[in-house]
Amino acid sequence: MDKEFDIQEYMTRGVERIVADAMRATLKNPRESAYMLRFAAASKAASKKRAAMEKKGEHIPPFLIASITSSCNLHCAGCYSRCNHATTDEAPVAQLSDAEWSRIFDEANDLGVSFILLAGGEPLLRRGVIDAAGERPDILFPVFTNGTFMGDKYFELFDSCRNIVPIMSIEGSKDITDQRRGEGVYDKLISNMDELNKRGLIFGASVTVTTDNFRQVSSEEFIGMLSEKGCKAVVFVEFVPVTDESSELAPGDEEREYLRTEIERLRTEHPEMVFVSFPGDEKSSGGCIAAGRGFFHINSHGEAEPCPFSPYSDTNVRDVSLREAMNSKLFRYLIDEELLSDDHKGGCVLFEKREQVMEIKERLEVSYEYRA
Ligand code: SF4
């Protein structure tokens, strides 16, 4: 890893670009731009907090991914969360309570975390946690939802809490979306978009990019449709094959290069929208940004994991503070031993090296001395 490379500076530039794009995207909407102005100030203050910690030798990521439930009403083909058994049809047990999530949100705010991505399972099933998020306007909460539980109650919440931004999962056209997510889901998403747009509420779309749909989901036809519907952000999530059978769906170098150039084109041709790709361009970020470099993941039971696609953990935020979880032995080892920047074929280094990560976790539990 290039020692000069400054991950904090790189991530803060990323945050500033998203905020600037969001400011531009909401200019015509007074209530949204009023909130964005407030958030821009809060994220600047948060960047200062993180920079001050960096000077003291402690790295704080600007992003956190929080999977707030292990329940979901859908059974999407290839769902990584169901394949990892992080989402099941069993009644949820020992999930973090609304109060525990509120504590984590406050600790994140104190440390300088600016974005907390709420996911699941289906996060709109946890109304109490979403309300708690709404009470913390200094943090922006993109909510990655399948959109099927959206109705008046949630539209009113999004109206009163502008720091909560629904990001609805869609796979491209009606056929592809319903084929993966279930009959009727696409029409529900489109009616949500029309309602959100009518109410002047900001929303986004999350697209799982596969070898099947990478051209369609970056096409003018699809992005133009989303823009017309009032969509202000598109998050391209590269498909990570959590089962060997689905590995042919994972984008390779050619597809990733195509997507990278398309996103650059879209940023120029659609200034009214924000485009983000996950896990993004590891070459420019000095490797994978998981395990606390750019973000980390807390699952619905409180375990701190490098990433939703790397469900291994050696700490639980029920037992330790968020700050201690960020410095877990496993995260330190993955960063110090430069596993995150190892050469790898596919899109996700930690998925590709999952056996190594598991072996490290087991070894750490017996021997690795935690260097404070
Ligand atoms: S909505 Fe999300 S969590 Fe639920 S099955 Fe589909 S991909 Fe999985």
PDB file of all heavy atoms in Angstrom, residues 72 74-76 79 82 121 146 181, ligand 1:
ATOM      1  N   CYS A  72     -37.204 -10.099   6.422  1.00  0.00           N
ATOM      2  CA  CYS A  72     -37.563  -9.487   5.138  1.00  0.00           C
ATOM      3  C   CYS A  72     -38.766 -10.226   4.553  1.00  0.00           C
ATOM      4  O   CYS A  72     -38.927 -11.421   4.780  1.00  0.00           O
ATOM      5  CB  CYS A  72     -36.408  -9.575   4.149  1.00  0.00           C
ATOM      6  SG  CYS A  72     -36.780  -8.724   2.609  1.00  0.00           S
ATOM      7  N   LEU A  74     -39.386 -10.335   1.294  1.00  0.00           N
ATOM      8  CA  LEU A  74     -39.093 -10.815  -0.060  1.00  0.00           C
ATOM      9  C   LEU A  74     -38.057 -11.947  -0.018  1.00  0.00           C
ATOM     10  O   LEU A  74     -37.394 -12.150   0.992  1.00  0.00           O
ATOM     11  CB  LEU A  74     -38.571  -9.671  -0.938  1.00  0.00           C
ATOM     12  CG  LEU A  74     -39.508  -8.493  -1.213  1.00  0.00           C
ATOM     13  CD1 LEU A  74     -38.852  -7.511  -2.194  1.00  0.00           C
ATOM     14  CD2 LEU A  74     -40.860  -8.950  -1.732  1.00  0.00           C
ATOM     15  N   HIS A  75     -37.951 -12.659  -1.166  1.00  0.00           N
ATOM     16  CA  HIS A  75     -36.946 -13.739  -1.303  1.00  0.00           C
ATOM     17  C   HIS A  75     -36.235 -13.546  -2.633  1.00  0.00           C
ATOM     18  O   HIS A  75     -36.402 -14.337  -3.546  1.00  0.00           O
ATOM     19  CB  HIS A  75     -37.627 -15.115  -1.216  1.00  0.00           C
ATOM     20  CG  HIS A  75     -38.236 -15.376   0.139  1.00  0.00           C
ATOM     21  ND1 HIS A  75     -39.439 -14.813   0.526  1.00  0.00           N
ATOM     22  CD2 HIS A  75     -37.769 -16.098   1.198  1.00  0.00           C
ATOM     23  CE1 HIS A  75     -39.712 -15.193   1.771  1.00  0.00           C
ATOM     24  NE2 HIS A  75     -38.711 -15.958   2.208  1.00  0.00           N
ATOM     25  N   CYS A  76     -35.472 -12.481  -2.735  1.00  0.00           N
ATOM     26  CA  CYS A  76     -34.850 -12.136  -4.016  1.00  0.00           C
ATOM     27  C   CYS A  76     -33.783 -13.173  -4.382  1.00  0.00           C
ATOM     28  O   CYS A  76     -33.031 -13.615  -3.512  1.00  0.00           O
ATOM     29  CB  CYS A  76     -34.220 -10.748  -3.942  1.00  0.00           C
ATOM     30  SG  CYS A  76     -35.394  -9.487  -3.441  1.00  0.00           S
ATOM     31  N   CYS A  79     -29.888 -13.237  -3.058  1.00  0.00           N
ATOM     32  CA  CYS A  79     -29.767 -12.246  -1.969  1.00  0.00           C
ATOM     33  C   CYS A  79     -28.585 -12.622  -1.072  1.00  0.00           C
ATOM     34  O   CYS A  79     -28.584 -13.677  -0.432  1.00  0.00           O
ATOM     35  CB  CYS A  79     -31.043 -12.217  -1.133  1.00  0.00           C
ATOM     36  SG  CYS A  79     -30.826 -11.375   0.449  1.00  0.00           S
ATOM     37  N   ARG A  82     -29.548 -13.325   2.641  1.00  0.00           N
ATOM     38  CA  ARG A  82     -30.173 -14.633   2.910  1.00  0.00           C
ATOM     39  C   ARG A  82     -29.137 -15.748   2.744  1.00  0.00           C
ATOM     40  O   ARG A  82     -29.103 -16.692   3.526  1.00  0.00           O
ATOM     41  CB  ARG A  82     -31.365 -14.868   1.971  1.00  0.00           C
ATOM     42  CG  ARG A  82     -32.621 -14.076   2.367  1.00  0.00           C
ATOM     43  CD  ARG A  82     -33.843 -14.499   1.556  1.00  0.00           C
ATOM     44  NE  ARG A  82     -35.052 -13.791   1.978  1.00  0.00           N
ATOM     45  CZ  ARG A  82     -35.776 -14.118   3.056  1.00  0.00           C
ATOM     46  NH1 ARG A  82     -35.405 -15.145   3.811  1.00  0.00           N
ATOM     47  NH2 ARG A  82     -36.853 -13.411   3.387  1.00  0.00           N
ATOM     48  N   GLY A 121     -31.790  -7.520   5.519  1.00  0.00           N
ATOM     49  CA  GLY A 121     -33.240  -7.593   5.660  1.00  0.00           C
ATOM     50  C   GLY A 121     -33.915  -6.323   5.140  1.00  0.00           C
ATOM     51  O   GLY A 121     -33.318  -5.554   4.390  1.00  0.00           O
ATOM     52  N   ASN A 146     -36.530  -2.323   0.088  1.00  0.00           N
ATOM     53  CA  ASN A 146     -37.140  -2.939  -1.105  1.00  0.00           C
ATOM     54  C   ASN A 146     -38.415  -2.182  -1.509  1.00  0.00           C
ATOM     55  O   ASN A 146     -39.038  -2.501  -2.504  1.00  0.00           O
ATOM     56  CB  ASN A 146     -37.431  -4.423  -0.872  1.00  0.00           C
ATOM     57  CG  ASN A 146     -38.464  -4.691   0.207  1.00  0.00           C
ATOM     58  OD1 ASN A 146     -39.385  -3.900   0.422  1.00  0.00           O
ATOM     59  ND2 ASN A 146     -38.325  -5.810   0.898  1.00  0.00           N
ATOM     60  N   ARG A 181     -37.070  -9.997  -7.916  1.00  0.00           N
ATOM     61  CA  ARG A 181     -37.635  -9.581  -6.621  1.00  0.00           C
ATOM     62  C   ARG A 181     -39.057 -10.060  -6.380  1.00  0.00           C
ATOM     63  O   ARG A 181     -39.507 -10.077  -5.249  1.00  0.00           O
ATOM     64  CB  ARG A 181     -37.550  -8.054  -6.488  1.00  0.00           C
ATOM     65  CG  ARG A 181     -36.170  -7.596  -6.499  1.00  0.00           C
ATOM     66  CD  ARG A 181     -35.909  -6.117  -6.327  1.00  0.00           C
ATOM     67  NE  ARG A 181     -34.566  -5.996  -5.843  1.00  0.00           N
ATOM     68  CZ  ARG A 181     -34.236  -5.992  -4.547  1.00  0.00           C
ATOM     69  NH1 ARG A 181     -35.187  -6.019  -3.658  1.00  0.00           N
ATOM     70  NH2 ARG A 181     -32.976  -5.939  -4.165  1.00  0.00           N
TER      71      ARG A 181
HETATM   72  S1  SF4 B   1     -35.269  -7.309  -0.249  1.00  0.00           S
HETATM   73 FE1  SF4 B   1     -33.064  -7.309   0.193  1.00  0.00          FE
HETATM   74  S2  SF4 B   1     -32.828  -8.536   2.065  1.00  0.00           S
HETATM   75 FE2  SF4 B   1     -34.901  -8.944   1.234  1.00  0.00          FE
HETATM   76  S3  SF4 B   1     -34.604 -10.792   0.029  1.00  0.00           S
HETATM   77 FE3  SF4 B   1     -34.418  -9.041  -1.337  1.00  0.00          FE
HETATM   78  S4  SF4 B   1     -32.196  -8.588  -1.449  1.00  0.00           S
HETATM   79 FE4  SF4 B   1     -32.585  -9.899   0.333  1.00  0.00          FE
END
